[in-house]
Amino acid sequence: MDPKIKIFETGRDEGIVSRNAKFYDEQCSQEEIDQIFLKTRLEIGKKYGFDGHKMFQAQQKNAINKLDYPDGKYIILTKDHMTKEDFWYESLPTDILMITEEYPNVVVGHQMADCPILIAEDRAKGVTALAHCGASYIDRGLPKDTIQALKEAFQSNPYDIYVYIGSCAGKETYIYQTYPTWALHQELWNKHITQEQDGYHIDLVGAIQQQLKEEGITHIETSAIDTIKDPKFYSHKASIEGNNSKKGQNFVGFFYK
């Protein structure tokens, strides 16, 4: 089956896809930042063929924002979520966002700067799910939760689901000097965290693929881009290691054509 969605990824050429003040001149007010951010989204929309006002992103729980919802929560986007002039400001506290082909040219995506974005398209049912799968989220099974959400909400057949794993930190460059504290499920990481002379190498993509295969997914496409070493992309790890040119946020998303 042919894809019904268009997937896109932004990088340094498109600009910082974030409202976070830490990425801007300290003299900028939040209002000024918001205007720059909107202009960036509108330009991205022109480049890829959508309206930059019509971009959704989940508010995913983490240790900083203290959001509280069950692991693997999903929201199915409908017209009830599309009442604001700018969809970015719709409150969506969840792990997984889903949208159907009923809403063309509406973007679902997520910021990233080393973490993989998982996009799972059920081409038979005309519905797609997206989840931001950082290391700690992979550890708690978010890739599996994403497939299970499609099965539960739309009775998806795994054979009809085509998965894309976006650009992210690669196992050659994503290295911890000590074993990561977020790696709580040893059976998952046995094959995907390897100790070498320079530290512990972490294979995020391999861990995601393992979970997908356990859910019966056979159609898996993976980006070959390593955000840490590719100069076209922002990278959190590269920036904290001193490469200020890599400080920022990319965006990975999709929309129905």
Side-chain angles (χ1 to χ4, degrees):
M1 287 182 283
D2 293 330
K4 298 179 181 180
I5 62 171
K6 180 175 181 178
I7 296 171
F8 66 95
E9 301 193 28
T10 76
R12 293 173 61 204
D13 286 348
E14 290 85 359
I16 296 169
V17 187
S18 175
R19 298 175 60 240
N20 194 321
K22 71 179 182 180
F23 297 123
Y24 296 87
D25 189 294
E26 61 183 17
Q27 302 302 318
C28 284
S29 67
Q30 189 61 55
E31 183 178 358
E32 289 170 328
I33 290 170
D34 289 346
Q35 287 302 311
I36 296 169
F37 179 52
L38 174 59
K39 182 179 179 181
T40 299
R41 287 185 286 130
L42 292 173
E43 289 299 317
I44 291 169
K46 288 180 183 178
K47 180 173 182 177
Y48 292 104
F50 60 85
D51 181 352
H53 293 96
K54 296 181 177 180
M55 298 174 67
F56 283 110
Q57 173 173 284
Q59 284 79 55
Q60 194 175 30
K61 65 181 178 180
N62 57 47
I64 297 173
N65 62 32
K66 304 297 184 183
L67 289 174
D68 185 23
Y69 56 76
D71 289 355
K73 177 187 174 185
Y74 61 84
I75 291 175
I76 303 169
L77 294 166
T78 69
K79 63 181 180 181
D80 292 337
H81 299 103
M82 302 178 191
T83 59
K84 291 183 172 63
E85 180 180 348
D86 191 338
F87 294 177
W88 190 267
Y89 296 98
E90 183 72 20
S91 178
L92 299 164
T94 192
D95 278 333
I96 302 158
L97 286 180
M98 293 192 279
I99 196 168
T100 68
E101 60 187 332
E102 182 181 353
Y103 303 101
N105 299 316
V106 174
V107 169
V108 177
H110 210 287
Q111 301 156 322
M112 52 77 68
D114 286 332
C115 296
I117 304 301
L118 179 68
I119 299 173
E121 180 191 7
D122 181 337
R123 295 183 181 176
K125 295 291 179 68
V127 60
T128 301
L130 179 144
H132 167 264
C133 293
S136 63
Y137 302 109
I138 297 171
D139 181 76
R140 65 170 169 83
L142 183 52
K144 294 183 72 170
D145 287 341
T146 305
I147 303 305
Q148 289 171 2
L150 285 168
K151 292 177 180 178
E152 178 180 303
F154 293 92
Q155 295 73 54
S156 293
N157 184 329
Y159 184 76
D160 296 327
I161 299 174
Y162 290 71
V163 171
Y164 176 72
I165 304 170
S167 304
C168 62
K171 62 182 178 181
E172 293 181 3
T173 54
Y174 193 32
I175 305 168
Y176 274 47
Q177 293 309 305
T178 58
Y179 194 85
T181 56
W182 45 256
L184 304 177
H185 293 85
Q186 194 68 40
E187 70 282 2
L188 171 63
W189 297 107
N190 276 338
K191 296 180 181 178
H192 306 301
I193 297 179
T194 56
Q195 187 175 12
E196 301 184 24
Q197 287 186 344
D198 56 350
Y200 292 90
H201 287 243
I202 299 157
D203 183 4
L204 300 175
V205 170
I208 291 174
Q209 290 173 334
Q210 177 177 319
Q211 292 188 35
L212 294 174
K213 290 173 183 177
E214 289 172 357
E215 287 297 312
I217 303 301
T218 57
H219 308 296
I220 303 173
E221 179 185 352
T222 302
S223 171
I225 294 170
D226 182 334
T227 50
I228 294 175
K229 64 182 181 181
D230 192 313
K232 295 181 180 179
F233 289 84
Y234 296 112
S235 165
H236 175 69
K237 188 173 189 299
S239 68
I240 63 173
E241 291 178 349
N243 186 346
N244 288 329
S245 70
K246 301 276 276 179
K247 184 178 180 180
Q249 291 270 276
N250 315 295
F251 188 86
V252 178
F254 74 89
F255 58 93
Y256 274 94
K257 295 178 283 187

